[in-house]
Amino acid sequence: MNAHPENEVVMSARNVAKSYGQVHALKGVNFDIHRGQVTTLFGENGAGKSTLMKILSGVIQPSSGEMILDGQPVTFANANEARDRGISIIHQELSLAPNMSVRDNIFMGREIMGPAGVDFAEEERQVRKLMEELEEDIDPQTPVEELRLGQQQIVEIARALSVDSRILIMDEPTSALSASEVEVLFKVIRDLNAKGVSIVYISHHLEEALTITNHAVVLRDGNMTAYAPRSEIDLEWIVRNMVGENYDLGSPPDTEKRDVALSIRNLSVPDQTGQDLVRGLSLDVRAGEIVCIYGLMGAGRTELLETCAGRLQQTGGEIVLEGREVSHLSIAERIARGLALVPEDRQRDGLVQTMTVGQNLSLASIARFTRGIFTQRSAEKKLIDDTIRDVTVKTSGGGAAIGSLSGGNQQKVVIGKMLATKPKVIMLDEPSRGIDIGAKAEVFRLLAEGAKDGLAVIYSTSEVSECLSIAHRIIVMHKGRISAEFDSTVSKEKIMAASGESVAA
C-alpha cells in the first residue's frame, strides 16, 4: 500500500491555457499531481494532452494560468530548469540520437565528469544498472539505430529514470513495448511511487492505464471534462468523457470471395547474424479480405511486412502480387504495382518533417502529377484535399507544418499517403500506435471500406482487442512462424495462448 496520503499535492495546474494564433490548444485546465501516485491523462488526439505535458516539463510556456510546485507559483524557461527542479518527461515521439550509443544518449548534456574528463566507465555502470532494473539486455555501447523500436523506447525511459526526478511525465511510454516489457515498466512505476515519485501518465491503451492509475483526468478539445480517483472510474466512464459515446472498432465487412491478391510462399528473413526472424512462412491474402497478424515483440510481424514491402531482403521464398513475382522490385516499383506499407515508426520511416501536411500526403503519388520537370498543382491539391477529408486529418490545411499535428493525426497522414497511391494490397504495421479510440475507429472504418471495394488489407497489432474487430482472419506468429490461424469468433485467450503469451490472471 502506498504510504503517501492521497491529498498530498506536489504540483498543480491552475487555469492553464495555451494558444497558437487562433488555435486554442488548452482552455483553462486545472488538475493536481499527487505525491507518490499516478495521475493519468486521457483524451483523443488533439485534446491537448501533449501540450499540457510540455508546459509541465518546461518545453513550452503557457499563454496564461500558472503552475504551482510545493505550494508556490513556478515558471520554467526551458526543460533544463524543470529538470533541475525534479521534473522529467518521456516524450511520445522518441528524441534519441540514432548514431550515438545507448550510454551517450542517456547522459547527453549531463555527462559524468572525472579527473581526466568524461567518466565513461561510471556512465556505463549506471546504464547497465538501469537496464537491469528494466530487465532489458541492451549493451550500453550499442548504437541506438541498431535497436528495434521497443528497445529504443526502453532507452528513452532509462534516460528519464537516470535523472533523480520527483515528478516523471510519461507520454505514451508503452506504445512500442511488448506485454512483458509493459509489466516491467509498471513494476518500475510502482517502485517509484513507493519512493514518493509522482507519475503523470498519458496512454491510449485505456484498459492498460486503468491497472496503474490512481487518479484520472480527461481532456477534450483543450478542456478538462472530468476528474476522479480510480475508485470512481471504469472504461465506460473514460470513453464517455473522452468522446461522448462508446466507439466500436467495427466488425468484419461482408465481402465476396475474390482471387488471391498477395501470396507469400516459404518466406525466410534473416537478422544481422544470419538467424531467421521469419522462417519458411506461407500466407495467401485475397482481394477484399482483412487479415490481422498478432504476435509478441520479436515474433517477426514487422520483418514479414517490411520484407514484402522491399525494405528488408529475404533469403528464401517468393512474394507474388496478383500472380507476378515482385521480390526483385524496389520499394517504389512495388508501390507502383499496388503493394504499399504503412510503417510502424511514423517519425523515422513515414514522414518528412521538413515538408507540409500536403507534401507528405502526395509524396508517394507524385509521379501521377509530374510531366517532365512540371507538376500538375491542381490535381495534386485535389488529392491532398480529398485525402485530408477522407482520412479525417485535423489540420488547418495542406500547407500546415507536419509538426503542428498531434501524433495521431500524423499517423493518419501516413495512412492517407499510402491509400492515395490506390494500392491493391495495403499492409499496416501497428497502425493504431499512438492513436486514440476515436481515431482508431476512423482508421478501421477506412480499411473496412477499402476491403468492400476489393482492397486486400493486412495489419499487425500487439493489442488482442484489435484482432477481434474488422479482421476476417487472425494469423498468430511466434518466433518467426505462423503458430495458429483463427476466424473472428475466436476468444482473446486462445489468441494470446497461441502467441506464447501468458493468460494467467
Side-chain angles (χ1 to χ4, degrees), residues 27-141:
K27 306 168 184 175
V29 170
N30 296 275
F31 82 105
D32 297 328
I33 301 170
H34 299 255
R35 192 180 306 279
Q37 297 202 339
V38 178
T39 301
T40 302
L41 264 67
F42 296 104
E44 292 190 274
N45 294 118
K49 304 183 305 299
S50 293
T51 300
L52 181 56
M53 294 306 94
K54 289 175 182 177
I55 290 173
L56 290 177
S57 59
V59 176
I60 60 176
Q61 284 71 49
S63 302
S64 61
E66 63 180 358
M67 307 305 303
I68 298 172
L69 181 64
D70 297 327
Q72 300 295 321
V74 63
T75 58
F76 303 125
N78 51 53
N80 288 337
E81 285 190 12
R83 191 177 65 194
D84 291 343
R85 296 293 297 272
I87 303 169
S88 299
I89 185 169
I90 300 168
H91 292 284
Q92 178 182 356
E93 304 299 347
L94 302 181
S95 55
L96 302 171
N99 61 328
M100 294 175 64
S101 70
V102 170
R103 177 199 66 199
D104 292 345
N105 266 279
I106 288 176
F107 287 100
M108 190 191 315
R110 49 184 193 85
E111 291 77 6
I112 298 175
M113 304 304 295
V118 178
D119 190 341
F120 293 114
E122 175 59 20
E123 287 186 354
E124 188 164 326
R125 186 193 69 79
Q126 291 192 25
V127 171
R128 290 190 186 279
K129 186 172 183 294
L130 285 166
M131 292 304 161
E132 187 177 326
E133 289 177 11
L134 292 167
E135 299 182 23
E136 194 74 29
D137 185 21
I138 298 176
D139 190 302
Q141 296 195 39

Side-chain angles (χ1 to χ4, degrees), residues 439-452:
K440 192 183 298 186
E442 293 169 3
V443 167
F444 278 43
R445 174 186 58 78
L446 283 168
L447 299 179
E449 289 178 355
K452 288 178 182 178

Side-chain angles (χ1 to χ4, degrees), residues 4 63 97 121 135 144 146 154 168 183 195 242 260 273 279 372 399:
H4 307 281
S63 302
E135 299 182 23
V144 163
E146 293 182 9
I154 292 289
L168 182 56
E183 286 182 17
K195 297 173 184 176
M242 275 179 61
V260 172
T273 67
R279 308 177 188 183

Side-chain angles (χ1 to χ4, degrees), residues 307-342:
T307 303
C308 289
R311 294 172 58 84
L312 296 177
Q313 292 296 312
Q314 67 215 59
T315 51
E318 295 180 315
I319 301 163
V320 180
L321 178 67
E322 294 189 323
R324 301 173 69 181
E325 232 284 341
V326 297
S327 302
H328 61 288
L329 299 181
S330 67
I331 296 173
E333 288 170 333
R334 295 185 204 201
I335 291 173
R337 290 277 182 91
L339 183 58
L341 171 69
V342 174

Side-chain angles (χ1 to χ4, degrees), residues 19-32:
S19 298
Y20 298 93
Q22 298 300 312
V23 178
H24 300 284
L26 292 175
K27 306 168 184 175
V29 170
N30 296 275
F31 82 105
D32 297 328

Side-chain angles (χ1 to χ4, degrees), residues 154-168:
I154 292 289
V155 173
E156 189 86 55
I157 291 167
R159 181 164 66 181
L161 294 177
S162 69
V163 181
D164 192 15
S165 302
R166 305 167 55 203
I167 299 172
L168 182 56

Side-chain angles (χ1 to χ4, degrees), residues 1-10 33-38 166 189-198 214-215:
M1 188 70 180
N2 202 309
H4 307 281
E6 288 190 11
N7 61 354
E8 189 177 359
V9 175
V10 61
I33 301 170
H34 299 255
R35 192 180 306 279
Q37 297 202 339
V38 178
R166 305 167 55 203
I189 288 174
R190 292 185 180 102
D191 290 344
L192 291 170
N193 284 166
K195 297 173 184 176
V197 177
S198 305
N214 300 110
H215 303 269

